[in-house]
Amino acid sequence: MRDRFRLRGEIELILKNKKGEVKKRVKIKNVITNVGKAQVAGLINGVVTSPFRYVAIGTGTTAPSASDTALDNEIARKVGSTSRATTNVTNDTAVVEATFSSADGLSGSSNVAEAGLFDAASGGNMLARQTFSAIPVNWDGGDTLTIRWRIIVS
């Protein structure tokens, strides 16, 4: 018998207005990066000790590639809440979620069009990235944008 080990990522983007009403919800798959795969291998044997728990957003639109190491135009990054979920077998899915708002120093409006999952508060290694149709966020108007990342190990 031969086992295959695979990482697969999915992102859910949730835009809410200042009343907490959902304005837009999008679910998409993402690209797992080459450096991300190498870091996961290091997490398995303890050579690497920094988990991927930082979510970044940006306005870049260049299509994602496995060779990506950063977002095109990052505008914010923060540590997310982490948990595990069950997709196929118990606890096979890592979940990282972060909500961005004006409280994070974001102001004006942004057309958020990319997201990445990192192992550091700045710089660091990027596990996954994806671009999507721009989501207009009015930070000053009280909008919030939640990024819920699910990395499924199968």
Side-chain angles (χ1 to χ4, degrees):
M1 183 167 114
R2 194 170 104 182
D3 283 336
R4 295 186 73 182
F5 183 85
R6 185 174 146 204
L7 298 176
R8 184 174 39 120
E10 300 173 350
I11 311 166
E12 183 175 15
L13 308 133
I14 306 162
L15 176 65
K16 293 182 180 179
N17 65 20
K18 65 181 176 184
K19 295 179 183 177
E21 300 165 331
V22 175
K23 294 170 64 173
K24 185 169 190 156
R25 183 184 303 261
V26 178
K27 287 185 182 182
I28 53 176
K29 294 186 182 338
N30 68 216
V31 172
I32 302 293
T33 67
N34 294 334
V35 72
K37 291 174 184 175
Q39 291 301 104
V40 168
L43 286 167
I44 290 170
N45 67 6
V47 172
V48 172
T49 58
S50 300
F52 292 96
R53 58 190 184 117
Y54 294 89
V55 178
I57 56 173
T59 58
T61 58
T62 302
S65 164
S67 63
D68 288 345
T69 58
L71 295 184
D72 276 350
N73 189 31
E74 184 173 324
I75 60 170
R77 186 185 302 195
K78 68 189 298 186
V79 66
S81 61
T82 59
S83 63
R84 291 190 298 175
T86 299
T87 301
N88 298 305
V89 298
T90 304
N91 292 327
D92 65 344
T93 302
V95 180
V96 182
E97 181 176 315
T99 299
F100 295 89
S101 70
S102 61
D104 299 306
L106 295 160
S107 62
S109 295
S110 301
N111 286 316
V112 177
E114 64 178 334
L117 187 59
F118 292 84
D119 65 359
S122 63
N125 299 293
M126 184 169 63
L127 173 64
R129 176 174 179 256
Q130 188 53 281
T131 56
F132 38 87
S133 295
I135 297 175
V137 184
N138 181 352
W139 306 113
D140 292 345
D143 284 354
T144 63
L145 180 63
T146 298
I147 309 292
R148 183 177 299 132
W149 221 295
R150 294 170 39 90
I151 302 294
I152 302 154
V153 179
S154 61

